[in-house]
Amino acid sequence: MATAVKKPLAELFSDLSLITDLPRRIGEGWDGLLVRLGLTRVVIYHIKFNNHGQLEDMIKDGLDKWNIQNIKEPVSKRAAAFLEALRAQEMVPLAEELEEEYNFNEPELVESTPDVTEDPRDTSADTSIVYTREASGDIMNSLDRPKNDRSDPTENGPDINGDFPLRDYQMEIAQDGLKGENSIIWARTGSGKTRVAVYIMKNHLDNNPTGKIAFFNTTMTLLDQQYEVIRKFLPKYKHQIMKFSGVEQNEVTLLSNTQHFRVCVLTPMTLEKYLAEETVSLDLFSMLVFDECHHTRKKEPYNQIMKYYRKLLQDSTVKLPQILGLTASVGTERACNVDDAEKSILELMARMNVHKIATPRINRKEYTQMFPEPEKHSEVMKDRTTDPMRDTIEDAMGRLETWLQDKLCDLDKNVHKLLGEIPDKMRMEQQYQSWLSRLMGALPRSEELTPEIKHQAIVIAEHLTMYQTALSVNHTLCMKDVLEHLYHSSLKYKILEGGKKNAVVISNSSRNNTDEDNTGSDNTGVVNTGGDNTDVDESGNDETEITCVSLYTSVTKKLEILSKNDEYENPNIVRLRKMVDKNFEEKGKDSTFIVFVEQRESAVAVSKYLTEKSSFAKCCFLISAQSTADGDGKQSQAEYNWVVQRLLSKQINGLVATQVAEEGLDIPACNFVIRYNQSSNEISTIQAAGRSRAMGGTVIDFANERKHRQEQGNVMKLTLMNQALEMVLGRPVDSIRQEVNKRMDSITKTEAEEEERSREAGRKNKTQGNFTLRCLRCQEVAVSSPDIRRYKETNYIVVGRDFYKKAKRRLKKKVTCYENMTKRYKVYCIKCGSDWGAGICMRNLFFAVLKIRQFIVRDDDTEKEYFGVPWSVIPHTVQTMTEEDFSSVAALDKLIEDAPDN
């Protein structure tokens, strides 16, 4: 048997190993390991349990510093010291794994070791050894090629002095920023905007010894990626670059580290929190860099940061930070003509106090040659000629709609009006979804319906929501994915575990007349599950109560039978697979592709389908790192890194992604991009097309007729945007400055008036008084305001013991930490299973944090009720949590029932 080839020992200290692999494999015990390595100057922060993201960051930083301090030592000596430390720290299995993986017996490597200065931060470990592309393998290798690569040096990373070159068009768009002027850099995806920004940042830091830069990203995925890129390209300042997400900071705060960083990579929400608390001021920074700056609009986080900037602008004694924005599309919002598009662009510039937009003009030829527009095609999706899956689902929806009309029409005039507007012929369209949303909002507000009828109607509306989504899944995915969706929905809505409370009776019928399979292939009748009752009357005739639960069981059984017949498979998913295979055949087997979809569950399902059915595709999915409203369905940063590394190493050749992969992600150039029934706005159109970076790339828009019309509108908006940009770029700078200043003054004045109205409303509305929370779903009284406390402004904790007798909890799949609290559980209503909030652990105590939108809030003084509102709308104050309150919540977890794992 052939012996497996071991990796070169140098790879143990490559970026991929130090940044990603070793921190993940070391885990707990890292602090003791670094002490045994003799790294006594590492700051050991207090790491809360389950805080794996920050834990890996600390390990990575420690290993990196240790490697730099010992860079003059041969690789073999460093490797031996590392193994010895692992064994001494009782990490013997890891030491043995590394010995199996790396060649510890190889001849001594010849290293190119630079002179190490007294300050180790002036030297980057990344320049000490010449790695092959496979050895370095870090996420940034599309920006930083090995030094033995003879390709264009403008693709390389920094040299030993920390300098790196720019292309001519990149230097052109950097000029305004290098002069210290506020500007927006507008260039297509993949053209090196981040490289240009870091070049400007380096110039700023070199010429401003006390300068501090804030680099903003809106998502955690982009934040981690850009943090590593900036560290890579600024080796001189490598250990003065810090990252803050605001999610898991614990004791590490921006305020306590202001003296230790020159560059701070963070989310705008993080800085906004500090600004709101007035613990820092925006003039702490000398430069603000906004990645994907087109998000500086309306109530978005970037604009909230700039609101503080615009306030500072009124103070002539304050030195304002320089503004730099990066975007591939400035957008046009709702512009319908060129003049409106120009106004939209000027409005964005005004929000950012920017008078110049930098885009390649002098070196336009170089720019367009390097980044040609991909070839674009479109194709309309087709409906099945026979679709019993759809018919089965729509039949169930029709029965539920009939129940609503029979039970509610004469009881409440507002609900009656809504039921008359039901778009029953458009159940898969947005109109139906909008109607359902309005119905769900109206039912809890009804004053005529009894609590019991309200609850039953809400349960029916939830089932309709489940089936409506199933229709969309049936339109784009496989038949088995429809069943998968219905199964997960049954868990979400607690369909099979809610008992009679959630088993609303739709009709009574004799067992001989139960619902038959409308395909004619199965005559199963109704299965009694989850609260159905079969009674025998005095004459001996048995009658079956058909409930929404038994209807669900019947529907899923029919769909399961249908899914076994390939004749009924979705032709669109089959067509998608054929598109992928055709592109591989035409562009070569080494091609790389991305399929964009709208929903997270679609990304997972399409990725699995293509891998199983395609002749060429081997792909993974990329979805957001942010939780959904239900707290599930996210992808961790470690999982994202793993997927990208697999793509870089050619273990896979494609991605199926949601919108998260459109903006800024550093992924390899793709031969072709397919947008599968995915469309949003003109910015999304540009970002998705920008992923087809390879020469001869193709973008295919494969969607239904409605989304095709929407995409045609996006193309028109892009034409307006380009025309409007030419108009803006053609105007004299003084004219733009005058227009921007005028608009900025108007924005600032409007914001000041809104803030004053908000403060006045707060002073009037917030009074002392009591209110009661009832479950939005079953109307059960949950808790009264005397038993609620406010902790750190945004968390509302229940300290009353009666509440915990009405709730049950289930352990979350992924434990998260925030505000020194660990979110371990979900808390549900014990009667109907409605999501009441989160189960939190802190100071070895358990307590519930309420999700206010899941309750009806009743003002005990005025009897006014509030539905689905945030805490800020409730007119009464809530007492602040005290040390005495912490003592009172001891042993509350013993009162609450634990739900079985799903």
Side-chain angles (χ1 to χ4, degrees):
M1 181 180 294
T3 305
V5 178
K6 294 186 178 183
K7 297 179 184 177
L9 198 54
E11 291 191 27
L12 183 61
F13 301 103
S14 68
D15 281 348
L16 174 60
S17 178
L18 292 173
I19 291 174
T20 304
D21 186 45
L22 286 175
R24 185 179 66 246
R25 294 166 74 174
I26 289 172
E28 299 293 341
W30 70 281
D31 48 353
L33 173 64
L34 295 180
V35 171
R36 290 188 181 276
L37 288 172
L39 195 65
T40 56
R41 286 188 288 170
V42 175
V43 178
I44 307 296
Y45 293 106
H46 178 58
I47 307 297
K48 296 291 185 182
F49 54 87
N50 292 302
N51 196 348
H52 300 300
Q54 190 177 356
L55 176 64
E56 288 187 12
D57 279 349
M58 295 301 176
I59 301 171
K60 171 185 64 181
D61 193 50
L63 289 177
D64 198 28
K65 289 179 182 177
W66 172 78
N67 193 42
I68 291 173
Q69 289 182 11
N70 293 275
I71 200 67
K72 280 190 172 182
E73 299 290 345
V75 171
S76 58
K77 189 172 182 179
R78 268 181 282 160
F82 188 63
L83 283 187
E84 182 181 352
L86 286 174
R87 290 192 171 94
Q89 195 61 22
E90 298 182 352
M91 297 183 180
V92 176
L94 177 56
E96 292 176 348
E97 287 176 15
L98 294 176
E99 283 186 309
E100 288 293 323
E101 191 173 341
Y102 294 94
N103 186 6
F104 281 82
N105 297 318
E106 68 183 9
E108 190 61 64
L109 295 177
V110 178
E111 301 174 27
S112 171
T113 307
D115 292 333
V116 180
T117 61
E118 291 182 2
D119 186 353
R121 294 175 300 184
D122 291 337
T123 305
S124 170
D126 305 325
T127 62
S128 61
I129 302 174
V130 178
Y131 302 127
T132 64
R133 178 182 291 269
E134 290 76 21
S136 60
D138 62 326
I139 296 175
M140 290 75 69
N141 66 7
S142 60
L143 295 175
D144 183 14
R145 296 182 181 176
K147 290 194 289 292
N148 58 358
D149 192 330
R150 296 180 179 272
S151 60
D152 190 334
T154 56
E155 289 297 318
N156 294 344
D159 60 22
I160 195 169
N161 297 314
D163 297 323
F164 55 93
L166 297 182
R167 297 183 185 278
D168 290 341
Y169 78 84
Q170 291 173 331
M171 185 60 75
E172 178 188 346
I173 61 180
Q175 289 306 303
D176 295 328
L178 292 172
K179 295 174 185 175
E181 298 178 0
N182 294 355
S183 68
I184 292 174
I185 292 176
W186 170 47
R188 69 165 293 177
T189 300
S191 60
K193 294 188 295 295
T194 302
R195 187 185 184 102
V196 174
V198 178
Y199 190 93
I200 296 171
M201 291 162 61
K202 180 181 183 299
N203 178 77
H204 183 87
L205 294 173
D206 290 345
N207 294 308
N208 295 274
T210 60
K212 294 182 184 295
I213 299 174
F215 189 104
F216 296 104
N217 279 116
T218 55
T219 68
M220 282 300 301
T221 304
L222 285 175
L223 188 79
D224 289 337
Q225 173 190 289
Q226 300 297 57
Y227 169 70
E228 297 299 348
V229 171
I230 293 169
R231 278 169 52 91
K232 189 80 171 181
F233 277 74
L234 296 179
K236 180 179 177 181
Y237 303 101
K238 188 171 185 177
H239 296 294
Q240 293 174 291
I241 300 171
M242 302 190 73
K243 178 181 67 174
F244 291 89
S245 68
V247 177
E248 298 177 339
Q249 290 307 315
N250 295 315
E251 309 302 331
V252 187
T253 66
L254 176 64
L255 183 62
S256 62
N257 283 277
T258 54
Q259 302 303 314
H260 304 295
F261 70 80
R262 298 294 303 281
V263 179
C264 185
V265 185
L266 72 170
T267 60
M269 293 79 76
T270 302
L271 183 58
E272 184 185 357
K273 174 185 174 183
Y274 290 118
L275 294 171
E277 295 172 351
E278 298 184 349
T279 54
V280 298
S281 176
L282 206 56
D283 59 354
L284 166 69
F285 301 99
S286 55
M287 176 183 278
L288 305 179
V289 183
F290 294 89
D291 198 12
E292 309 296 346
C293 70
H294 50 268
H295 291 298
T296 314
R297 298 185 185 276
K298 299 179 181 177
K299 297 296 183 180
E300 295 195 60
Y302 277 178
N303 199 36
Q304 299 306 308
I305 296 296
M306 288 308 299
K307 184 187 291 187
Y308 288 94
Y309 177 96
R310 292 189 287 269
K311 287 181 182 178
L312 282 180
L313 193 61
Q314 310 304 308
D315 187 350
S316 59
T317 64
V318 176
K319 187 175 181 180
L320 291 168
Q322 179 184 349
I323 303 296
L324 181 64
L326 311 176
T327 184
S329 172
V330 292
T332 59
E333 295 186 282
R334 297 187 177 182
C336 297
N337 53 56
V338 178
D339 289 340
D340 288 343
E342 184 185 16
K343 291 176 183 177
S344 174
I345 294 170
L346 289 169
E347 192 79 4
L348 174 65
M349 296 172 71
R351 291 191 188 103
M352 299 186 68
N353 191 26
V354 164
H355 305 127
K356 292 185 177 181
I357 294 180
T359 190
R361 296 178 75 78
I362 298 173
N363 298 283
R364 185 77 181 175
K365 184 176 180 180
E366 177 196 35
Y367 173 69
T368 53
Q369 285 178 344
M370 289 202 61
F371 303 100
E373 286 292 324
E375 186 180 350
K376 297 179 181 178
H377 302 288
S378 64
E379 184 172 329
V380 179
M381 298 172 70
K382 296 180 180 179
D383 292 329
R384 299 170 173 89
T385 52
T386 302
D387 192 354
M389 298 280 287
R390 180 197 61 207
D391 296 341
T392 300
I393 297 170
E394 288 202 331
D395 178 66
M397 295 177 74
R399 299 182 68 172
L400 296 175
E401 291 162 1
T402 299
W403 184 94
L404 289 172
Q405 291 169 331
D406 289 347
K407 293 287 186 179
L408 306 182
C409 269
D410 298 328
L411 299 181
D412 185 292
K413 61 180 181 180
N414 292 326
V415 174
H416 179 91
K417 182 181 178 182
L418 265 176
L419 293 175
E421 298 171 356
I422 181 170
D424 57 346
K425 303 300 182 184
M426 308 173 68
R427 292 191 179 102
M428 203 185 74
E429 301 298 329
Q430 178 65 37
Q431 291 92 323
Y432 191 91
Q433 190 174 342
S434 176
W435 172 81
L436 261 179
S437 178
R438 286 185 289 133
L439 179 66
M440 289 290 282
L443 289 173
R445 290 178 169 84
S446 172
E447 296 180 357
E448 283 81 17
L449 300 178
T450 65
E452 181 64 23
I453 288 293
K454 274 188 196 180
H455 171 66
Q456 291 180 359
I458 290 171
V459 169
I460 294 296
E462 288 175 346
H463 280 246
L464 282 172
T465 302
M466 170 184 66
Y467 290 129
Q468 198 267 341
T469 306
L471 285 178
S472 298
V473 173
N474 183 58
H475 183 57
T476 55
L477 303 179
C478 299
M479 293 186 289
K480 65 178 182 180
D481 296 320
V482 179
L483 286 164
E484 187 79 6
H485 162 73
L486 291 173
Y487 167 71
H488 286 297
S489 295
S490 73
L491 301 179
K492 176 182 177 180
Y493 294 121
K494 313 296 183 296
I495 288 177
L496 300 179
E497 61 180 71
K500 291 184 178 181
K501 190 73 178 177
N502 291 336
V504 181
V505 177
I506 300 174
S507 63
N508 292 307
S509 64
S510 74
R511 185 172 292 274
N512 294 327
N513 294 320
T514 53
D515 182 40
E516 293 185 354
D517 188 346
N518 58 15
T519 67
S521 60
D522 180 45
N523 193 5
T524 58
V526 177
V527 180
N528 282 305
T529 308
D532 295 351
N533 296 312
T534 302
D535 299 319
V536 180
D537 61 22
E538 293 179 358
S539 62
N541 296 322
D542 58 340
E543 299 232 345
T544 302
E545 286 185 345
I546 300 176
T547 72
C548 59
V549 175
S550 64
L551 180 63
Y552 166 85
T553 308
S554 178
V555 166
T556 53
K557 187 169 184 178
K558 292 174 186 177
L559 295 182
E560 188 173 354
I561 294 171
L562 290 169
S563 68
K564 296 175 182 178
N565 190 337
D566 292 339
E567 178 185 351
Y568 302 131
E569 187 56 280
N570 181 6
N572 295 312
I573 192 75
V574 175
R575 178 62 185 141
L576 175 66
R577 189 259 302 165
K578 290 180 179 179
M579 283 182 180
V580 171
D581 286 347
K582 181 181 178 182
N583 274 277
F584 271 104
E585 291 168 355
E586 293 177 349
K587 299 179 184 298
K589 295 181 180 179
D590 292 332
S591 296
T592 305
F593 71 94
I594 300 180
V595 175
F596 282 108
V597 295
E598 283 194 345
Q599 304 296 330
R600 300 181 189 203
E601 64 179 10
S602 297
V604 177
V606 171
S607 172
K608 184 177 180 181
Y609 174 80
L610 289 177
T611 300
E612 291 177 353
K613 301 294 185 180
S614 169
S615 302
F616 304 98
K618 297 177 181 178
C619 52
C620 291
F621 60 87
L622 278 184
I623 58 178
S624 174
Q626 302 297 320
S627 296
T628 61
D630 303 306
D632 296 322
K634 67 177 182 177
Q635 192 170 38
S636 70
Q637 184 62 34
E639 291 168 330
Y640 158 76
N641 289 339
W642 177 78
V643 171
V644 172
Q645 287 299 329
R646 295 194 74 200
L647 192 65
L648 288 167
S649 61
K650 299 292 186 180
Q651 296 179 60
I652 58 175
N653 55 20
L655 299 174
V656 182
T658 57
Q659 195 173 356
V660 69
E662 288 181 352
E663 293 189 349
L665 290 188
D666 183 20
I667 52 182
C670 294
N671 297 68
F672 61 98
V673 170
I674 301 176
R675 304 181 73 197
Y676 184 46
N677 210 40
Q678 188 247 9
S679 180
S680 53
N681 55 29
E682 74 278 12
I683 294 175
S684 176
T685 297
I686 285 183
Q687 298 285 5
R691 290 296 152 200
S692 181
R693 303 180 189 175
M695 290 294 180
T698 304
V699 176
I700 303 171
D701 184 42
F702 183 35
N704 59 33
E705 290 185 0
R706 179 176 62 82
K707 291 190 176 178
H708 262 294
R709 291 193 296 271
Q710 185 179 347
E711 184 61 19
Q712 290 170 357
N714 290 340
V715 172
M716 292 178 61
K717 283 191 173 185
L718 288 178
T719 302
L720 292 179
M721 183 190 74
N722 290 327
Q723 292 173 349
L725 274 167
E726 287 299 323
M727 292 174 64
V728 171
L729 294 169
R731 292 176 62 167
V733 175
D734 289 341
S735 171
I736 294 178
R737 181 176 285 106
Q738 183 178 1
E739 180 71 23
V740 165
N741 290 343
K742 177 183 176 182
R743 289 178 178 274
M744 189 163 54
D745 288 342
S746 175
I747 292 170
T748 304
K749 181 180 178 181
T750 302
E751 289 172 344
E753 292 172 352
E754 288 176 351
E755 283 190 5
E756 181 56 33
R757 285 195 296 269
S758 178
R759 282 193 295 267
E760 185 64 27
R763 286 192 290 267
K764 288 181 179 179
N765 291 340
K766 291 292 182 181
T767 60
Q768 290 188 346
N770 292 327
F771 55 88
T772 303
L773 302 188
R774 298 201 319 274
C775 178
L776 186 65
R777 200 161 180 260
C778 69
Q779 316 294 306
E780 174 73 15
V781 173
V783 64
S784 296
S785 54
D787 289 334
I788 304 173
R789 297 292 184 270
R790 188 177 77 253
Y791 177 70
K792 288 196 172 183
E793 298 302 324
T794 59
N795 302 290
Y796 290 79
I797 293 170
V798 180
V799 296
R801 304 179 76 82
D802 287 344
F803 170 87
Y804 292 88
K805 298 175 183 178
K806 303 174 183 178
K808 59 182 176 180
R809 68 183 178 185
R810 177 179 284 118
L811 191 65
K812 289 176 84 272
K813 293 178 181 177
K814 293 185 179 180
V815 177
T816 55
C817 301
Y818 70 99
E819 299 284 5
N820 296 323
M821 300 184 292
T822 303
K823 187 187 292 186
R824 287 185 170 277
Y825 304 92
K826 287 185 177 182
V827 175
Y828 301 96
C829 172
I830 204 167
K831 280 194 174 182
C832 71
S834 180
D835 181 3
W836 278 1
I840 300 295
C841 295
M842 184 172 66
R843 301 188 186 184
N844 295 320
L845 299 172
F846 168 86
F847 44 81
V849 176
L850 296 171
K851 187 183 291 186
I852 187 61
R853 294 182 187 274
Q854 295 297 105
F855 296 93
I856 300 169
V857 184
R858 182 181 185 275
D859 187 326
D860 294 346
D861 299 329
T862 64
E863 297 187 355
K864 182 177 179 179
E865 293 187 336
Y866 301 85
F867 306 85
V869 298
W871 285 102
S872 58
V873 174
I874 298 174
H876 298 312
T877 58
V878 176
Q879 298 178 52
T880 302
M881 190 86 168
T882 64
E883 288 299 322
E884 185 178 344
D885 291 322
F886 274 109
S887 301
S888 70
V889 298
L892 287 179
D893 58 326
K894 295 179 180 178
L895 298 176
I896 195 166
E897 177 183 331
D898 285 307
D901 293 337
N902 290 331

